Amino acid sequence: MKTPSTSGKRTRQTRTSPLPAVESAVTPAGTPSAEAVRVAGVACVKRLPAYLQMLRVLQGEGHEYVSGTVLATTHSLEPVVVRKDLALTGAVGTPRRGFRVAELIVAIERFVGWDNQTKAVLVGVGNLGTALLGYQGFENLGLRVAGAFDWNPAKVGRWIQGRKVQPMNQLAAFVRRGGIRLGALTVPATAAQETADLMIRAGIRGIWNFSPARLQVPEGVVTQKEDLAEGLAVLSHKLQHLPPAGGGPREHGSHALRQSAP
Ligand code: ATP
């Protein structure tokens, strides 16, 4: 079996203490405990999917071990950061060999709660909602969008990306029957709060908010906002402040553009 390594560097055992072990880091539901996330910081949890993606590639290529240093190098991170992230998942490395790839995948999946498939509903089957329904990658993240809902009578009853669009008055019963706690919200900003309230009344406890609206939610409900406008604003701002022609990044950017031009 292959073990990827960085140029000539020897890798060390990567367990750091006194971070909490996996038992205390993971709730019975398989999600990170609040304490674990507090210790790790949200930044750590956000880095884990990138490690996971690379680990799956390495596993596909037949690698049995990976060192924390390799993960750090390929993700442009300090090795100590990677070591702390991985230690939190409860993964334990072996001196000089690093982590067993398969075990590390399981540890990370367990930590983020992707080892058990999570069912979700999606509300708002417009353009964005339709695209999300068609995204196969969610399965890899342990997420299955089990039901799609919309208030538009012209959409209700139609099959979109393999799901029959259901009317909003069916949401509560569907959520209750399936024991579903997660909902993706893809309605326009103007309808976001009232739709979120409806989802919460239906039993949804985690709202993945793709609308530009900031939601007010009661205690016991969590939200994560994915605002494409915010991301685009940051990118556009950076684009405007690229160094003048002849500078490294500009060259790189214009080369990429030239390459992708038809
Ligand atoms: P389309 O024009 O096909 O509806 P869109 O993405 O431009 O697509 P949006 O206005 O962003 O449409 O609305 C997204 C989806 O949210 C639509 O399918 C719309 O019917 C639905 N929607 C809007 N308000 C609500 C609501 N209060 N409850 C449920 N669904 C809603």
Side-chain angles (χ1 to χ4, degrees):
M1 287 283 180
K2 296 178 259 175
T3 303
S5 62
T6 47
S7 51
K9 282 186 194 160
R10 291 180 78 196
T11 56
R12 289 242 206 98
Q13 209 289 92
T14 49
R15 176 78 201 204
T16 0
S17 55
L19 288 168
V22 71
E23 286 75 18
S24 60
V26 180
T27 66
T31 51
S33 67
E35 175 62 9
V37 174
R38 193 190 60 73
V39 172
V42 174
C44 156
V45 181
K46 283 186 172 174
R47 284 189 290 270
L48 295 176
Y51 302 151
L52 196 55
Q53 197 179 15
M54 179 175 176
L55 290 166
R56 287 190 178 129
V57 170
L58 292 175
Q59 192 177 43
E61 290 173 357
H63 294 284
E64 195 179 354
Y65 285 90
V66 64
S67 71
T69 312
V70 166
L71 285 174
T73 308
T74 50
H75 292 87
S76 306
L77 291 167
E78 291 296 323
V80 67
V81 172
V82 175
R83 274 203 295 279
K84 283 187 175 167
D85 290 348
L86 298 184
L88 193 82
T89 68
V92 180
T94 311
R96 286 191 295 280
R97 301 186 86 176
F99 294 88
R100 220 176 245 283
V101 173
E103 284 173 12
L104 197 46
I105 289 175
V106 170
I108 295 177
E109 283 182 343
R110 192 172 163 216
F111 183 80
V112 289
W114 292 346
D115 52 342
N116 288 316
Q117 203 171 53
T118 305
K119 278 194 284 184
V121 290
L122 180 140
V123 181
V125 195
N127 291 308
L128 183 57
T130 302
L132 289 177
L133 283 178
Y135 179 52
Q136 308 286 326
F138 284 141
E139 300 277 327
N140 276 340
L141 309 180
L143 185 73
R144 188 165 71 81
V145 182
F149 293 81
D150 204 289
W151 75 345
N152 184 345
K155 296 190 178 181
V156 169
R158 276 176 52 196
W159 285 85
I160 295 182
Q161 303 285 10
R163 279 82 157 190
K164 191 172 184 179
V165 180
Q166 302 179 62
M168 294 301 291
N169 63 12
Q170 300 285 316
L171 181 68
F174 187 89
V175 163
R176 202 172 42 246
R177 269 200 314 276
I180 297 171
R181 302 175 72 222
L182 188 74
L185 181 63
T186 46
V187 299
T190 46
Q193 186 64 56
E194 56 169 310
T195 311
D197 293 345
L198 213 146
M199 290 164 79
I200 294 165
R201 280 201 297 278
I204 293 297
R205 289 294 168 262
I207 299 181
W208 199 2
N209 177 17
F210 288 88
S211 86
R214 291 198 182 278
L215 299 176
Q216 306 284 331
V217 294
E219 216 170 295
V221 176
V222 288
T223 64
Q224 173 67 34
K225 189 160 174 282
E226 304 296 344
D227 190 340
L228 298 182
E230 274 180 16
L232 181 61
V234 173
L235 182 63
S236 303
H237 177 76
K238 285 182 182 168
L239 195 63
Q240 284 182 43
H241 292 84
L242 277 177
R250 178 66 170 268
E251 279 288 288
H252 183 77
S254 52
H255 177 65
L257 283 175
R258 270 201 309 276
Q259 278 205 328
S260 59

